[in-house]
Amino acid sequence: MSTLKIAIQKSGRLNEDSIQILKDCGISINNGIDQLKAEASNFPLEVLYLRNSDIPQYLIDGVVDIAIVGDNLLVEKGKGIQVVQKLGFSKCKVSVAVPKTFEYNSIQDLNGLRIATSYPNTVIEYFNSFGVNVDIHQISGSVEIAPNIGLADAIVDIVSSGSTLFKNNLKEVEIIYKSEAVLAVSPKVTPEVQKLIDTLQFRIESVLRARKSKYILMNVPNDKIDAVGKILPVLRSLTVLPLAQEGWSSVHSVIDKDTFWDVIDQLKDAGAEGILICPIEKMVL
């Protein structure tokens, strides 16, 4: 039987979130401290812990079948690699930042200046699209200090909260690309391995769907059920159970996590009472 090989970042937040989503998919990973490779005990899966910047090449070469990686890296190093699922975590931006004292009006202000970055291909493509010529200084790690030490006039780097830019007296002036973790597939997978990928992706989709939703229970007068049903179109149909009190029913459904406060206000106006909201562990449709 084939084994699915998945690459994830060997350390950092993306590592933690990647391990968590695999656990939420019911996969138990036998992982010791500082291991570079680990196997799952209940799924034909082998995890390779790799340096983030190396993952696209491992996919291209077919050393790994799939990877959980930031799609900013695929833009930089892995064009042509198929993304089969956006995962919704490790969101960030690839941005242009300049010193706070820099009077910035447009990208043309950077023409002929020095740009420090770990993403040279992305930078070249972006600035060329505006007809702007820049002098690229490719460095890895601590890109944000480059203007302070005189190495560059501006930087292009990953921005999450913006706190690192603030600490280094920089300001974000352009967003090149919005990134998040994705599930990417090697172009060299076999049909047998593809079946394993499909199984894992199905589990991931169920987990992600549950993360975006809440289970809702409420008491509703029977003559108000139709009105409540129009507010809750998430599933195929409401679950309606009669209460001991005549003329009332318990109504169950699912609502979107990001909008449930607005929905609850509508439900109250429609006559719902005793509303309970519960988390959902998995959601299979």
Side-chain angles (χ1 to χ4, degrees):
M1 183 178 180
S2 294
T3 298
L4 179 62
K5 295 182 179 180
I6 181 171
I8 66 173
Q9 184 176 309
K10 66 180 180 180
S11 61
R13 180 64 183 272
L14 184 54
N15 168 276
E16 296 170 7
D17 289 338
S18 300
I19 293 296
Q20 186 60 54
I21 198 167
L22 292 177
K23 288 181 178 179
D24 290 345
C25 288
I27 297 174
S28 299
I29 300 170
N30 301 318
N31 185 33
I33 298 175
D34 296 328
Q35 274 187 281
L36 298 179
K37 186 170 69 172
E39 294 183 355
S41 60
N42 58 350
F43 191 86
L45 180 77
E46 184 177 77
V47 180
L48 279 72
Y49 299 97
L50 303 175
R51 191 169 64 175
N52 207 32
S53 59
D54 292 339
I55 290 176
Q57 193 61 50
Y58 276 69
L59 285 167
I60 292 169
D61 294 341
V63 177
V64 296
D65 303 306
I66 58 174
I68 296 177
V69 63
D71 58 354
N72 58 293
L73 273 179
L74 299 182
V75 171
E76 175 66 23
K77 295 184 173 184
K79 287 189 176 180
I81 294 175
Q82 183 185 11
V83 172
V84 295
Q85 185 77 53
K86 291 188 174 183
L87 300 176
F89 55 80
S90 295
K91 293 185 177 182
C92 63
K93 298 171 288 185
V94 178
S95 299
V96 182
V98 299
K100 290 180 180 178
T101 56
F102 191 105
E103 293 186 10
Y104 184 88
N105 298 300
S106 74
I107 196 166
Q108 300 298 326
D109 294 336
L110 299 177
N111 192 54
L113 299 186
R114 300 167 298 167
I115 307 292
T117 186
S118 301
Y119 302 93
N121 296 327
T122 302
V123 171
I124 291 170
E125 184 174 338
Y126 180 75
F127 281 93
N128 283 349
S129 69
F130 290 95
V132 175
N133 294 314
V134 293
D135 180 14
I136 294 177
H137 288 248
Q138 183 177 353
I139 57 178
S140 59
S142 302
V143 173
E144 64 278 354
I145 70 169
N148 292 330
I149 62 176
L151 179 63
D153 303 296
I155 69 168
V156 171
D157 200 17
I158 289 177
V159 176
S160 295
S161 65
S163 61
T164 301
L165 294 183
F166 180 81
K167 291 175 183 177
N168 287 275
N169 293 312
L170 300 173
K171 60 183 179 182
E172 181 184 70
V173 293
E174 299 284 346
I175 298 174
I176 296 178
Y177 189 79
K178 292 185 178 179
S179 176
E180 66 180 277
V182 297
L183 186 68
V185 179
S186 168
K188 297 186 177 181
V189 296
T190 65
E192 187 174 359
V193 168
Q194 183 60 53
K195 291 180 181 179
L196 294 175
I197 294 173
D198 293 341
T199 299
L200 177 61
Q201 189 181 354
F202 174 79
R203 295 191 187 188
I204 289 175
E205 288 173 350
S206 299
V207 169
L208 294 179
R209 196 179 295 118
R211 289 181 180 180
K212 295 177 182 178
S213 304
K214 296 285 186 181
Y215 192 77
I216 184 168
L217 307 84
M218 71 206 84
N219 298 330
V220 181
N222 289 343
D223 60 353
K224 302 290 186 181
I225 291 176
D226 287 343
V228 166
K230 293 177 181 178
I231 301 170
L232 294 169
V234 176
L235 295 180
R236 181 176 298 176
S237 178
L238 300 176
T239 298
V240 180
L241 303 172
L243 293 179
Q245 182 176 348
E246 188 174 349
W248 284 76
S249 293
S250 175
V251 176
H252 301 204
S253 189
V254 172
I255 60 175
D256 186 272
K257 182 182 69 173
D258 294 331
T259 60
F260 79 86
W261 284 115
D262 293 333
V263 172
I264 286 174
D265 290 337
Q266 296 176 51
L267 292 171
K268 290 172 63 181
D269 291 341
E273 299 179 3
I275 301 172
L276 300 179
I277 308 294
C278 305
I280 301 173
E281 185 174 334
K282 306 288 187 300
M283 189 170 169
V284 180
L285 298 180

